[in-house]
């Protein structure tokens, strides 16, 4: 799967300790840069650090997707 997502940015919301984290690692392994979103920022930052250590870019953005303003912030952070 290496290189399949090269040059792409993947946004993953609801990054938890199981499925979201596994998906993030797999996407990074396929060449994607990541924007990680969840309400618990501490967990996101640890995963972002892990992913950047592999040479990919990763941004942790604390986001409650039920809040429109926070989703707007997530989009702005992704585009920046």
């Amino acid at each position: 799967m290496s290189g399949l997502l090269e040059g792409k940015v993947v946004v993953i919301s609801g990054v938890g300790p199981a499925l979201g984290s596994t998906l993030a690692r797999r996407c990074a392994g396929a060449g994607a840069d990541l924007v990680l979103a969840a309400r618990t920022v501490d967990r996101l930052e640890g995963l972002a650090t892990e992913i950047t250590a592999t040479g990919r870019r990763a941004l942790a953005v604390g986001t409650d997707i039920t809040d429109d303003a926070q989703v707007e912030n997530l989009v702005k952070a992704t585009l920046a």
Side-chain angles (χ1 to χ4, degrees), residues 5 8-29 32-54 56-65 70-71 73-79:
L5 297 175
K8 305 291 183 187
V9 175
V10 175
V11 178
I12 302 174
S13 65
V15 177
L19 184 59
S21 295
T22 300
L23 179 60
R25 289 181 187 101
R26 296 283 308 246
C27 288
D33 292 323
L34 295 154
V35 178
L36 309 170
R39 290 179 292 188
T40 308
V41 178
D42 293 342
R43 184 181 308 139
L44 294 177
E45 290 173 345
L47 181 58
T49 298
E50 177 187 328
I51 289 169
T52 56
T54 69
R56 303 306 324 158
R57 293 184 301 165
L59 175 64
V61 182
T63 307
D64 178 346
I65 63 168
Q70 290 186 38
V71 172
N73 181 60
L74 173 63
V75 172
K76 287 179 182 178
T78 300
L79 294 174

